[in-house]
Amino acid sequence: MTDAHTARTIVGIIGNVISFGLFCSPVPTMIKIWKMKSVSEFKPDPYVATVLNCMMWTFYGLPFVHPDSLLVVTINGTGLVMELVYVTIFFIFATSAIRRKITIAMVMELIFMAVVIFCTLYFLHTTKQRSMLIGIMCIVFNVIMYASPLTVMRLVIKTKSVKYMPFFLSLASFMNGVVWVIYACLKFDPYILIPNGLGSLSGLAQLILYATYYKTTNWNDGDGDKEKRFTNAEIELDRA
């Protein structure tokens, strides 16, 4: 029992490290925005969506919702802070229309979380009931976020080019999914297993596409505008 607990802790720490790398993936985009003093064609949607995703998973990992899930709280709490920084940078350099959009989205997310927290703590009185409700909601949000890599994968198949699908990001996504699947299996947790199982399959599919279309990719094609258009679809591949 102790060995299984130790193994789960070690795997969880590895998962934290890999997930942290994924949370750091938008940093180059943020640096570019900061230097340009403009968000240009970049969209805030992936970051705003990930804020809600991180809030849900952080709440899920709290001891009065799902006990013994400290490592879920640490990585998603860290991710929440990082995503809020990204949203703040977007807000600073965005136009008034985009700022209004961000403000409305963030207020709606806060209201939604407040309702979820109140209903969970007031109407559900066991960790089993709370885990089931929040876990199912977390799965739904994760599945929705998988639409992002599907967009890039469709572009790869259409253009027969992997130029806009970074290899190391795809590899990290695959490894992240696999590690959290192992974590969920060591002490069976279907709410972590299902979304990360799907995430690992998504990452594997990206790696297969990379191997398939690598030789047909024109790396010298300097289509900067297209790169901007699809950058946001690349940076939020999956979350623990």
Side-chain angles (χ1 to χ4, degrees), residues 217-234:
T217 300
N218 182 1
W219 298 101
N220 296 318
D221 181 15
D223 191 352
D225 291 336
K226 185 180 288 185
E227 181 176 3
K228 285 183 179 180
R229 196 176 304 126
F230 291 100
T231 296
N232 286 276
E234 300 164 11

Side-chain angles (χ1 to χ4, degrees), residues 30-56:
M30 296 300 116
I31 293 175
K32 185 180 295 185
I33 289 173
W34 191 276
K35 288 182 177 179
M36 293 189 305
K37 306 298 182 185
S38 169
V39 297
S40 187
E41 295 182 28
F42 295 112
K43 305 296 182 184
D45 305 47
Y47 314 104
V48 173
T50 307
V51 166
L52 179 58
N53 194 57
C54 287
M55 285 194 292
M56 289 297 301

Side-chain angles (χ1 to χ4, degrees), residues 37 39 71 76 83 85 97 102-103 160 173 209 220:
K37 306 298 182 185
V39 297
L71 293 173
N76 284 285
E83 295 297 330
V85 171
I102 292 174
T103 301
K160 300 185 185 304
S173 297
L209 284 178
N220 296 318

Side-chain angles (χ1 to χ4, degrees), residues 4 48 69 72 75 77 79 134 138 145 151 160 219 230 235 239:
V48 173
S69 299
V72 176
I75 187 55
I134 304 303
C138 286
M145 292 185 68
T151 302
K160 300 185 185 304
W219 298 101
F230 291 100
I235 58 178
R239 294 288 181 263

Side-chain angles (χ1 to χ4, degrees), residues 162-178:
V162 295
K163 185 174 181 180
Y164 304 110
M165 187 174 70
F167 171 76
F168 289 107
L169 194 55
S170 299
L171 179 62
S173 297
F174 172 68
M175 293 173 59
N176 183 67
V178 170

Side-chain angles (χ1 to χ4, degrees), residues 17-168:
V17 173
I18 298 174
S19 295
F20 180 76
L22 285 173
F23 279 125
C24 288
S25 61
V27 169
T29 299
M30 296 300 116
I31 293 175
K32 185 180 295 185
I33 289 173
W34 191 276
K35 288 182 177 179
M36 293 189 305
K37 306 298 182 185
S38 169
V39 297
S40 187
E41 295 182 28
F42 295 112
K43 305 296 182 184
D45 305 47
Y47 314 104
V48 173
T50 307
V51 166
L52 179 58
N53 194 57
C54 287
M55 285 194 292
M56 289 297 301
W57 278 110
T58 300
F59 183 54
Y60 174 82
L62 294 176
F64 49 81
V65 176
H66 191 79
D68 196 25
S69 299
L70 176 63
L71 293 173
V72 176
V73 176
T74 55
I75 187 55
N76 284 285
T78 301
L80 175 59
V81 173
M82 295 175 70
E83 295 297 330
L84 287 173
V85 171
Y86 301 152
V87 171
T88 300
I89 292 174
F90 251 93
F91 189 86
I92 292 173
F93 295 109
T95 62
S96 58
I98 296 178
R99 287 182 179 180
R100 184 164 55 252
K101 178 181 177 181
I102 292 174
T103 301
I104 293 173
M106 294 301 295
V107 169
M108 289 178 63
E109 288 186 3
L110 288 174
I111 294 174
F112 176 78
M113 276 305 301
V115 172
V116 168
I117 292 172
F118 173 78
C119 292
T120 301
L121 300 182
Y122 188 80
F123 295 108
L124 304 178
H125 304 293
T126 66
T127 54
K128 183 177 180 179
Q129 293 174 325
R130 293 171 178 175
S131 295
M132 180 179 293
L133 174 64
I134 304 303
I136 291 174
M137 295 179 71
C138 286
I139 290 175
V140 171
F141 287 125
N142 268 79
V143 170
I144 291 174
M145 292 185 68
Y146 292 145
S148 181
L150 288 176
T151 302
V152 182
M153 291 163 68
R154 185 165 59 247
L155 173 68
V156 170
I157 295 172
K158 182 178 180 180
T159 62
K160 300 185 185 304
S161 170
V162 295
K163 185 174 181 180
Y164 304 110
M165 187 174 70
F167 171 76
F168 289 107

